[in-house]
Amino acid sequence: MQSVDCLIVGAGPAGLTAATYLGRFNRNVVVADGGSSRASLIPVSHNYPGFPEGVSGIDLLSRLRNQAVVNNVKIVEGIVANLQRKNDVFVATINNKLITAKKVLLATGIHDELPPIESWNEAVSKGTLRLCPICDGFDVVDKNIGLISSAKCSLDHSLFLRTFSKKITLFCFPSSTTLTDESKLKLIAANINISEEVIETISVLEKPTINTRSGAEFIFDTLYVMLGESRGVFLATNLGARLTPSGHLFLNEHQETTISGLYAAGDVANSLHQISVAIGNAAIAATDIHNKLDHNYR
C-alpha cells in the first residue's frame, strides 16, 4: 500500500497548481487524474493572466502538468472510486489499488447540466457552444447570441450577456412560461428577445441552430447554455462533510472542509468558475496542508 503526504483528486488547474506548491515544499504528493478536466475544452482563453494572445485549455493544462512533474509530483491516471477516513489517515481506492494519505485535496470540478446536444464537447472546443460568458463573452462582442437558461437564472444571465451584444435571444428551458412578469419587463427594457418557443432539437457543430416544436428555426453565431451544474462533492459528503445551503462545500479560510485534513479547491469549491480563482484556492490550500503536516526539515 502506497503512503503519501497528500493525495490530490483531480488534475485540472487547481489540482496541478496545488501539486506544484506541495512538490516545491518537498512533500510526497500523488495526483489522481480522472481525465475529465473542464479546462481541456477551452479553445482559447483570453482572460487568463500572462497570455495576452490567449492560451488553449489543453496547452495550459500541459504546462501545469509539466511543472508539477518537474517538482517530483507523481500523476496517475484513474478515478478515486472510494475515500475513507481510518484513524488519522485517509484511504483511497484508485484503479483497484489502495493509497493512504495524511491530507486530501479535492479538485474534482463541476459537470455542466446540458439538454440533449450531439457532440457538445466538440462544439465547445470550436466555440460554437459556450458555457461561461465571464470566461469568453468578450470574444463574441456584437455577435448574434442565443441563450438557453433556466427561468430562475435567466434574467441575470441575459443581462450579463447584454454587456457584450445587443443581439440576444433567450430560450427558457423547458419554456418561458415560468418567467415572472417582472423579469419579462426587465428583459424587454434591455432589448433582449424572449422566445416563447419550446425547443425540439439543438445542433451546434456548425452554425448553432435551434429547431422548435412549432417548426421554427433559429440560427446564431454562438449559443450559450447555462442550466446549472453538478459538483463533484460525493467523496466529501460520504465522509460527512457539511454543505452550505447553496450546495457548496462548507470551507474555512484555508479551503479546509468540516472534515479535518480534507480540503477543496477550484470549481468544486466556488461559484465563480475561473481558472485564476482555482489556482488561488490551490495556493491557499497547499500552503495550509504543508503547515499542518509534520515538519520535514532538511
Side-chain angles (χ1 to χ4, degrees):
M1 183 183 300
Q2 184 179 7
S3 297
V4 297
D5 290 322
C6 183
L7 169 65
I8 298 175
V9 186
L16 293 172
T17 297
T20 292
Y21 270 72
L22 287 165
R24 290 176 60 81
F25 295 151
N26 293 317
R27 294 299 184 179
N28 183 9
V29 183
V30 165
V31 176
D33 181 4
S36 60
S37 173
R38 192 168 180 255
S40 66
L41 299 173
I42 299 171
V44 182
S45 174
H46 291 100
N47 69 343
Y48 184 73
F51 291 90
E53 302 302 320
V55 59
S56 73
I58 290 176
D59 185 20
L60 182 61
L61 287 172
S62 176
R63 290 168 180 261
L64 291 169
R65 190 183 189 94
N66 289 342
Q67 189 172 12
V69 171
V70 164
N71 286 285
N72 299 315
V73 170
K74 183 178 180 181
I75 302 174
V76 298
E77 295 183 4
I79 295 173
V80 175
N82 186 41
L83 182 65
Q84 298 179 350
R85 185 75 182 269
K86 294 186 178 180
N87 298 321
D88 293 330
V89 299
F90 296 92
V91 181
T93 304
I94 309 173
N95 301 330
N96 296 318
K97 296 180 180 179
L98 296 180
I99 180 172
T100 64
K102 299 172 186 174
K103 308 288 182 182
V104 172
L105 171 65
L106 300 179
T108 44
I110 59 171
H111 293 281
D112 296 279
E113 302 292 340
L114 296 170
I117 301 177
E118 187 176 350
S119 303
W120 68 268
N121 49 351
E122 182 182 347
V124 172
S125 67
K126 293 173 63 176
T128 53
L129 177 66
R130 297 173 183 269
L131 305 171
C132 174
I134 296 174
C135 306
D136 53 27
F138 186 76
D139 297 340
V140 291
V141 166
D142 294 333
K143 299 293 186 181
N144 183 18
I145 300 172
L147 168 63
I148 300 174
S149 176
S150 63
K152 178 181 178 181
C153 301
S154 60
L155 178 62
D156 289 342
H157 290 160
S158 298
L159 297 181
F160 189 88
L161 272 171
R162 189 65 177 81
T163 303
F164 306 105
S165 177
K166 60 184 179 183
K167 293 174 282 188
I168 309 291
T169 300
L170 167 66
F171 295 81
C172 283
F173 193 81
S175 75
S176 62
T177 56
T178 51
L179 275 175
T180 66
D181 290 339
E182 182 182 5
S183 292
K184 288 180 180 178
L185 288 174
K186 289 181 179 179
L187 290 165
I188 292 169
N191 294 316
I192 292 167
N193 181 38
I194 307 170
S195 174
E196 297 184 356
E197 299 278 353
V198 176
I199 296 173
E200 189 74 24
T201 62
I202 304 167
S203 58
V204 289
L205 287 181
E206 300 301 330
K207 280 278 190 177
T209 303
I210 292 176
N211 294 100
T212 67
R213 191 168 296 171
S214 70
E217 182 179 75
F218 297 81
I219 300 175
F220 301 101
D221 295 319
T222 195
L223 176 66
Y224 278 90
V225 178
M226 304 176 71
L227 295 173
E229 64 279 328
S230 59
R231 302 177 184 90
V233 299
F234 73 95
L235 291 174
T237 54
N238 285 349
L239 288 173
R242 286 171 48 200
L243 299 178
T244 68
S246 62
H248 290 82
L249 286 167
F250 189 92
L251 304 173
N252 67 14
E253 67 272 22
H254 301 296
Q255 301 295 131
E256 190 173 19
T257 71
T258 52
I259 303 299
S260 178
L262 180 67
Y263 294 73
D267 287 353
V268 70
N270 292 285
S271 57
L272 183 58
H273 303 144
Q274 297 293 293
I275 296 173
S276 54
V277 175
I279 63 174
N281 290 166
I284 292 170
T287 302
D288 196 61
I289 288 169
H290 169 72
N291 287 338
K292 288 182 177 176
L293 287 167
D294 291 339
H295 293 300
N296 58 340
Y297 299 140
R298 300 284 294 177

